[in-house]
Amino acid sequence: MWRTGRVLRLRLTATGEASLCSSKPANPSLSPSPQSNSSPRSQADKQRRRRQREDAILSNAHSEELSHRVDQTFALCLPPPNVTGTLHLGHALTVAVEDALVRWRRMQGYRVLWVPGCDHAGIATQTVVERRLLRDRGKRRQDFTRKQFLREVWKWKEETGEEIYHQLRRLGASLDWSRACFTMDPAFSRAVTEAFVRLSDSGLIYRSEALVNWSCALGSAISDIEVDSKELSGRTMLSVPGYDEEVEFGSLLTFAYPLEGHDGEVAVSTTRPETMLGDVAIAVHPDDPRYQCVHGKQCRHPFTNRALPIITDAMVDMELGTGAVKVTPAHDHTDFLLSQRHSLPRVTVIGGDGTMTPPCGKWLEGVKRFDARQLIVDALVEKGLFRGKKTHPMTLPVCSRSGDIIEPLLKKQWFVRCDEMAEKAIQAVEDKQLEIIPHYHTKTWNNWLSNISDWCISRQLWWGHQIPAYQVVFPNATDKQEELWVWGQTEDDARHRAAVKYGVKPEDVTLTQDPDVLDTWFSSGLFPFAMLGWPEQTNDLQRFYPSSILETGSDLLFFWVARMVMLGTELTGQLPFKQVLLHSMVRDKHGRKMSKSLGNVIDPLDVIHGVSLERLQQKVKEGNLDPRERLVAMGAQSKDFPKGIPQCGTDALRFALCSHKMQGEDISLSISEVLSCRHFCNKMWQTLRFTLGVLGDNTTPVGTLEETSAVSSLDRWICSRLYSTVVECERALEAYELHAVTSALYSFWVHSLCDVYVEHMKPALVLPDTQVAPSILYHCVSTSLALLSPFMPFITEELWQRLPRAAAHSALCLQPYPRSAQLAHWHFPVEEKDFLLVQEVIRVARSLRAQCAMTKEKPAMWAVCSASQAQVLHRFGSAVWTLSRISNLHIYSPGAEPLPRVHSTPPPVGSLVGVVDHTCQLHLYIQGGMNIDKRMLQLSQRREKLLPKLEKLLCRVRSPDYLSKAPAHVRQQMDTKTSALQQELRAIDDQLKVLQQTRSKE
């Protein structure tokens, strides 16, 4: 047992809990010294027991062993983080929330499955490895064969891939590590191939030439939801990957196309003059009077000599620019639609590497697209066709992966047909088969899925799942032969399919596999069932699919959640989960999004263990940031963490994260909040020490919860407060409102158990022949530890193991979660309601003592109150005296029968008055030594503060529609507040009058 006054220090070293320390020794008078009733254990035995506790805390393998198990399952997967890096506080929130839910269900006896995994992160991983090879060896990806490069990626993955799992263990995640999967594992890869083949067989995957969002920096297509929209108010200079100087955007340039065979010209405006080499027509609105005379005519391109027909289409906005639009089908989504409607050719003038193509002419071929922009403008000026430039607000598409400006390019790619699958996903929510929490996301879900476009799943990368599609070539085939494609589980399967499809012999078929890989989100979309062994009908799949819930960030609703729902429903015939719980984004204390370039991305292990500013900045230097961004990041770190980050511990971090309302606005987390939770951990230690001191060396077993009953009013109150706390925890956990659970538990432990019950017990312990209720204290502490266990598994386990019990039990995390039904005999609603008055009386009494600087004295006070309030104060008299630090409380009820054994006289004239409510006042009589001027100033300031409040309330009450619109309970609350303010103002006026008279006599 801990000795009195000793500094508490707990260090769990095996799998990752940091130190949880009390920064100062406990006050000996507050922590009676317990005597150990067992022989000292050896250091080896202590270490062994500690390892066993940690194994129990981090293990998930106890569901089948629980004596209180129920025939229900709770299954979910941890959203697989990218294998490229380390977890940040956003990931820590996911872990804290999911682990709390998992531990809660496990303690309820559910059969629990929580599966970890990692995503191969095609674009991010390939980019990281390419940068590493260039930095360390001076080589580019193109200097390797595909096989050699993939070997380098796997080597890097083996070196760094375990860091994420290490962080998860340090965060206390009780995952099923035996089922951990990586999206590039052989079994998972087979599931990806099976999914592609099945969807292709059903016609949901097809190959087509279409405009895609192309990142020239990545050399790959990306999906619509990986494109960020950057709003520009006008002319703006931006950094673009691959360019030494900033590039101008947000300008509208106008130039003219001369009419062919006629005098005149047609002027067009564009923000992208580099694409004008790909113009194939000019479009005007059919009703635009300015261009009625040029319908059906054509212009001649000044550089390519191409004839440009003037077409009419209602899609043209007459108000934008000149009202005439250049049509570039190969580089603009709207122009592509125009080309389909008017049978226009499509000329590609920008290549996948971002340089101009041969159709542009020798003078531009190979020039980078934004360098070509100025060359084209100069050439237009030289030909006398340039008509001017002006600033222009615009939306710029930016690649979220590389920061590159997106270039719409015409490419042959593989697409997933989404319309029918999206309709099923919408219907699942409408039919209540799938619940999205919070519910306000449902509207966004419906809007996005109702306007979904087909999903391009081709990525021009080497790292990832190579598309299991093969181009078919027959002997004597010509170059002009139409592309023929088949797909299969293996090349042999594809060859057999090709032979059957085209009526040839297998040996006559030559196959070439598509070098592209599948979008990472395609494989991630299979995670809920592929992790359980699909397409094989494994025991896990039959037992745990569909999952109970998916918990993830709201920013992944479309990236990941919608795709899992669509793919899961199509491939398994079932929704992949029954509920979707979305948490908000974690931001820094300034409300900014976490970003490496801002220097505000925090490794959760740095919060757990603490880190110096020097180490934080060293991490930035070791990263892949641009030198300019590195300076900004390091400057921000110096400002936000001048002394580094103090050690807070795992439990404090988890509790702080779960204390935020995750189903709403973004979460702005500061380290000071985590430190506050660390102080709560210290409070728990101190409470445990006090409890052990109260229990002492008594060998009599503590009675069970069912056997323990409350006798005194305060005992009944604390018991009922515990019951109400359990009820609130049950309600909030079922609603996934973890912030309400943590708030209720913190409030009970600190404000009810410590501030009231324990403080009331302390004086009784030093008085002879005073009876205390150790059983009630014991059960309050042990039950609270069980309630807190899902959120703070390390400290609760350590403290619970130190409590004496009637019989040896296993780990706390394997005990049944407390239920309100067990505590029904502890429910005393009258005591809970009455004690609200007691707490207000204590607050006002302390305030009066503080105003009179009576920090050590214990004066007598008078309570002038109603008869019912007098009875309450009489029943809780001991608590009022002890917690208010007064010698006696005289209770006076004007016009009522005096209570037995209660001194019922009015307070002395000239007493200081504190208003509790409109029917209760406290009076403190000071015979001398009071600073009258100071007290009059305090009362005057208080009066000035209360008058505006009263006036505001009276304005509301006197409004014409108040009686008709305000509900009865609201009117009652307003009346009570108004009466209390009026009563306090009258008391202040009376006191000022008395003080004025006293000063006059002096």
Side-chain angles (χ1 to χ4, degrees):
M1 299 300 178
W2 298 108
R3 294 193 301 273
T4 302
R6 179 176 175 181
V7 177
L8 304 181
R9 185 170 297 271
L10 165 66
R11 187 177 297 276
L12 303 179
T13 57
T15 49
E17 166 62 341
S19 301
L20 291 170
C21 307
S22 175
S23 57
K24 59 183 179 180
N27 188 326
S29 65
L30 304 185
S31 302
S33 178
Q35 299 297 321
S36 175
N37 57 7
S38 60
S39 58
R41 297 195 302 268
S42 68
Q43 191 65 29
D45 186 42
K46 291 179 181 179
Q47 292 294 333
R48 179 183 59 80
R49 290 169 61 89
R50 178 162 290 171
R51 284 194 299 271
Q52 289 174 345
R53 288 198 294 272
E54 291 172 351
D55 289 343
I57 291 170
L58 293 174
S59 176
N60 74 303
H62 303 287
S63 298
E64 303 291 343
E65 305 169 12
L66 299 178
S67 60
H68 58 282
R69 65 180 179 273
V70 296
D71 189 22
Q72 295 188 56
T73 61
F74 185 73
L76 72 161
C77 66
L78 180 72
N82 289 351
V83 74
T84 48
T86 57
L87 303 182
H88 52 67
L89 286 180
H91 295 110
L93 173 64
T94 300
V95 173
V97 169
E98 293 187 15
D99 194 49
L101 295 176
V102 161
R103 291 178 181 277
W104 166 55
R105 287 301 192 194
R106 193 178 292 129
M107 292 176 75
Q108 286 188 317
Y110 281 57
R111 182 188 294 114
V112 172
L113 178 68
W114 187 26
V115 179
C118 268
D119 186 89
H120 65 276
I123 293 174
T125 301
Q126 182 162 311
T127 301
V128 168
V129 175
E130 286 191 59
R131 286 177 179 172
R132 183 185 183 189
L133 290 172
L134 185 62
R135 182 188 63 202
D136 296 348
R137 302 194 211 171
K139 290 187 176 183
R140 300 184 180 276
R141 172 168 56 95
Q142 292 76 10
D143 297 328
F144 299 84
T145 65
R146 181 171 188 151
K147 189 174 182 180
Q148 290 172 333
F149 179 77
L150 292 180
R151 193 179 299 123
E152 293 292 332
V153 179
W154 277 107
K155 181 181 176 183
W156 173 86
K157 190 265 177 186
E158 295 303 321
E159 291 174 359
T160 62
E162 286 300 313
E163 175 63 21
I164 288 173
Y165 288 169
H166 170 70
Q167 286 180 296
L168 289 172
R169 289 186 174 94
R170 291 296 181 97
L171 284 165
S174 55
L175 289 150
D176 188 338
W177 296 105
S178 67
R179 289 178 170 89
C181 62
F182 177 49
T183 51
M184 288 294 287
D185 286 342
F188 204 103
S189 297
R190 285 194 297 273
V192 173
T193 299
E194 177 72 22
F196 184 92
V197 171
R198 288 194 190 185
L199 294 172
S200 299
D201 287 343
S202 62
L204 290 174
I205 289 181
Y206 65 94
R207 185 174 175 83
S208 175
E209 184 178 54
L211 277 183
V212 297
N213 300 307
W214 189 269
S215 169
C216 299
L218 297 174
S220 175
I222 62 173
S223 65
D224 291 344
I225 54 179
E226 291 172 306
V227 178
D228 294 335
S229 296
K230 188 177 184 69
E231 298 295 333
L232 304 181
S233 59
R235 182 177 181 274
T236 307
M237 304 300 291
L238 297 174
S239 297
V240 179
Y243 291 81
D244 295 330
E245 297 182 358
E246 291 184 330
V247 178
E248 178 184 326
F249 297 94
S251 295
L252 189 68
L253 293 86
T254 303
F255 64 92
Y257 278 125
L259 285 168
E260 177 83 347
H262 299 80
D263 292 336
E265 65 183 32
V266 178
V268 296
S269 298
T270 181
T271 58
R272 303 167 64 213
E274 65 274 14
T275 63
M276 64 90 65
L277 277 299
D279 289 356
V280 296
I282 299 170
V284 298
H285 195 282
D287 299 332
D288 193 332
R290 294 171 293 180
Y291 300 108
Q292 294 291 326
C293 61
V294 297
H295 290 184
K297 294 182 171 58
Q298 62 182 25
C299 296
R300 183 66 59 179
H301 199 290
F303 302 126
T304 65
N305 204 36
R306 185 184 305 120
L308 306 178
I310 299 174
I311 62 174
T312 60
D313 198 291
M315 289 179 64
V316 177
D317 183 357
M318 291 186 286
E319 304 300 322
L320 183 62
T322 64
V325 178
K326 58 190 283 297
V327 181
T328 319
H331 295 282
D332 185 273
H333 291 282
T334 303
D335 294 358
F336 183 80
L337 294 176
L338 284 171
S339 73
Q340 291 178 317
R341 292 163 62 161
H342 297 274
S343 301
L344 298 173
R346 299 155 189 167
V347 181
T348 297
V349 294
I350 300 175
D353 60 354
T355 62
M356 308 305 286
T357 60
C360 298
K362 294 290 185 182
W363 67 294
L364 285 177
E365 183 180 351
V367 177
K368 291 193 289 187
R369 54 181 169 156
F370 297 129
D371 291 339
R373 176 179 290 184
Q374 189 58 48
L375 294 176
I376 291 170
V377 172
D378 292 342
L380 287 169
V381 171
E382 186 177 336
K383 288 181 176 290
L385 298 175
F386 187 71
R387 297 292 178 263
K389 180 175 77 169
K390 65 179 181 179
T391 187
H392 178 69
M394 65 178 295
T395 301
L396 195 66
V398 179
C399 174
S400 63
R401 300 291 186 180
S402 64
D404 191 19
I405 307 303
I406 292 299
E407 191 66 52
L409 292 185
L410 200 59
K411 295 283 185 180
K412 288 186 176 180
Q413 307 277 273
W414 294 95
F415 293 85
V416 175
R417 241 181 274 276
C418 294
D419 49 358
E420 291 183 7
M421 291 193 293
E423 286 179 14
K424 294 178 183 178
I426 293 172
Q427 196 63 43
V429 174
E430 290 180 353
D431 292 345
K432 311 296 184 186
Q433 297 175 347
L434 176 66
E435 182 183 15
I436 299 177
I437 306 170
H439 294 139
Y440 61 76
H441 284 293
T442 300
K443 182 178 180 181
T444 312
W445 172 270
N446 291 340
N447 289 340
W448 188 78
L449 288 173
S450 297
N451 298 285
I452 195 171
S453 56
D454 287 355
W455 171 18
C456 174
I457 55 173
S458 297
R459 296 293 180 269
Q460 289 64 43
L461 305 170
W462 284 358
W463 172 246
H465 297 104
Q466 190 170 353
I467 296 176
Y470 302 80
Q471 188 170 3
V472 181
V473 178
F474 299 118
N476 304 319
T478 63
D479 293 339
K480 295 182 179 180
Q481 178 182 312
E482 180 186 357
E483 284 188 359
L484 304 175
W485 289 86
V486 292
W487 43 84
Q489 302 284 352
T490 62
E491 184 172 339
D492 287 341
D493 180 35
R495 189 181 307 280
H496 174 73
R497 285 168 172 262
V500 173
K501 182 176 181 179
Y502 299 110
V504 298
K505 296 178 180 179
E507 57 267 23
D508 292 337
V509 176
T510 301
L511 298 179
T512 304
Q513 187 173 0
D514 190 330
D516 293 350
V517 300
L518 290 166
D519 180 9
T520 300
W521 293 108
F522 183 85
S523 55
S524 296
L526 311 177
F527 205 86
F529 45 98
M531 72 179 187
L532 300 174
W534 184 91
E536 303 298 327
Q537 290 301 308
T538 62
N539 290 333
D540 279 354
L541 189 67
Q542 294 174 18
R543 177 185 288 186
F544 295 111
Y545 187 81
S547 299
S548 307
I549 192 172
L550 175 81
E551 195 283 331
T552 189
S554 56
D555 55 322
L556 294 181
L557 184 60
F558 306 122
F559 274 100
W560 191 41
V561 180
R563 287 165 172 174
M564 281 189 288
V565 170
M566 291 192 294
L567 292 175
T569 304
E570 188 64 34
L571 293 170
T572 71
Q574 294 178 279
L575 289 166
F577 27 75
K578 302 160 190 172
Q579 292 179 310
V580 177
L581 177 61
L582 301 171
H583 65 245
S584 303
M585 183 180 293
V586 178
R587 297 180 178 271
D588 67 9
K589 66 179 181 181
H590 306 295
R592 301 175 303 177
K593 184 178 179 180
M594 298 286 188
S595 168
K596 291 181 180 178
S597 60
L598 293 176
N600 59 359
V601 173
I602 300 176
D603 183 341
L605 297 193
D606 288 341
V607 181
I608 292 172
H609 300 299
V611 66
S612 65
L613 174 62
E614 292 72 22
R615 179 56 189 145
L616 283 173
Q617 300 201 329
Q618 183 62 33
K619 287 186 176 185
V620 173
K621 294 176 182 178
E622 293 169 356
N624 292 314
L625 287 181
D626 177 271
R628 290 170 294 184
E629 292 179 328
R630 189 182 305 152
L631 289 175
V632 172
M634 292 173 66
Q637 287 179 333
S638 299
K639 184 177 180 180
D640 288 342
F641 310 113
K643 297 181 180 179
I645 298 175
Q647 182 186 60
C648 296
T650 299
D651 291 315
L653 174 60
R654 288 168 56 117
F655 197 79
L657 288 167
C658 290
S659 296
H660 282 269
K661 184 178 181 181
M662 62 179 185
Q663 301 175 26
E665 298 178 357
D666 289 344
I667 297 170
S668 295
L669 183 73
S670 65
I671 298 302
S672 61
E673 294 176 55
V674 189
L675 277 174
S676 176
C677 294
R678 188 186 76 172
H679 298 153
F680 177 44
C681 293
N682 291 341
K683 192 82 169 178
M684 293 168 65
W685 267 109
Q686 292 162 0
T687 308
L688 187 278
R689 293 181 62 198
F690 178 83
T691 303
L692 295 177
V694 170
L695 295 173
D697 57 358
N698 190 349
T699 57
T700 303
V702 176
T704 64
L705 190 61
E706 292 74 18
E707 297 169 346
T708 302
S709 58
V711 178
S712 72
S713 295
L714 196 65
D715 286 344
R716 290 161 66 88
W717 171 77
I718 193 65
C719 290
S720 196
R721 280 289 300 118
L722 180 60
Y723 169 83
S724 298
T725 301
V726 174
V727 169
E728 174 62 7
C729 290
E730 287 178 331
R731 182 206 65 78
L733 281 168
E734 291 291 347
Y736 304 124
E737 296 175 357
L738 301 193
H739 69 285
V741 183
T742 55
S743 176
L745 293 173
Y746 180 90
S747 178
F748 174 78
W749 191 293
V750 174
H751 302 307
S752 298
L753 182 61
C754 293
D755 290 353
V756 176
Y757 194 69
V758 168
E759 289 299 319
H760 180 259
M761 291 183 73
K762 288 176 183 176
L765 294 175
V766 298
L767 297 176
D769 302 324
T770 303
Q771 296 296 317
V772 295
S775 293
I776 289 177
L777 177 62
Y778 170 86
H779 287 298
C780 283
V781 171
S782 62
T783 303
S784 298
L785 289 175
L787 291 168
L788 282 162
S789 177
F791 302 92
M792 312 175 86
F794 291 100
I795 189 172
T796 53
E797 188 69 47
E798 183 69 22
L799 298 183
W800 189 78
Q801 291 287 345
R802 295 173 181 273
L803 286 172
R805 294 177 301 285
H809 292 290
S810 57
L812 171 61
C813 58
L814 304 181
Q815 300 304 304
Y817 200 73
R819 294 179 295 109
S820 57
Q822 298 172 294
L823 292 163
H825 64 298
W826 274 19
H827 185 208
F828 305 106
V830 173
E831 275 74 4
E832 278 198 80
K833 180 176 178 294
D834 288 348
F835 200 75
L836 296 175
L837 171 67
V838 175
Q839 289 178 302
E840 276 300 295
V841 168
I842 294 168
R843 181 188 65 80
V844 174
R846 289 176 174 177
S847 176
L848 285 175
R849 288 179 54 248
Q851 291 172 24
C852 299
M854 303 179 73
T855 57
K856 295 181 180 180
E857 298 91 340
K858 292 185 177 182
M861 288 192 184
W862 280 258
V864 180
C865 57
S866 67
S868 60
Q869 290 174 324
Q871 292 176 348
V872 172
L873 295 178
H874 178 56
R875 287 206 317 273
F876 288 99
S878 175
V880 175
W881 303 339
T882 303
L883 300 175
S884 301
R885 293 184 63 81
I886 60 178
S887 60
N888 196 6
L889 180 67
H890 304 290
I891 303 173
Y892 176 63
S893 298
E897 289 292 328
L899 295 173
R901 298 184 304 278
V902 174
H903 180 68
S904 182
T905 57
V909 177
S911 299
L912 299 182
V913 180
V915 176
V916 177
D917 62 24
H918 66 289
T919 60
C920 182
Q921 299 175 358
L922 282 189
H923 293 250
L924 172 62
Y925 181 69
I926 305 297
Q927 293 183 343
M930 182 177 62
N931 187 324
I932 293 178
D933 291 336
K934 181 178 179 181
R935 179 58 183 163
M936 290 181 67
L937 178 62
Q938 290 173 340
L939 290 171
S940 298
Q941 291 174 340
R942 177 66 177 167
R943 188 175 185 276
E944 291 173 3
K945 187 176 180 181
L946 293 180
L947 281 172
K949 291 184 178 181
L950 178 61
E951 188 62 33
K952 186 176 180 181
L953 284 175
L954 290 175
C955 285
R956 288 183 61 186
V957 171
R958 293 167 181 168
S959 62
D961 54 355
Y962 173 75
L963 292 176
S964 59
K965 289 188 175 181
H969 71 279
V970 173
R971 294 200 302 270
Q972 184 179 357
Q973 290 174 359
M974 294 289 287
D975 291 344
T976 302
K977 288 180 181 178
T978 303
S979 298
L981 284 174
Q982 291 172 333
Q983 179 70 20
E984 186 170 358
L985 284 167
R986 282 195 295 269
I988 288 174
D989 290 339
D990 292 342
Q991 289 182 78
L992 285 171
K993 188 180 296 183
V994 170
L995 290 170
Q996 183 67 42
Q997 293 172 353
T998 304
R999 188 168 63 177
S1000 299
K1001 291 177 182 178
E1002 293 178 353

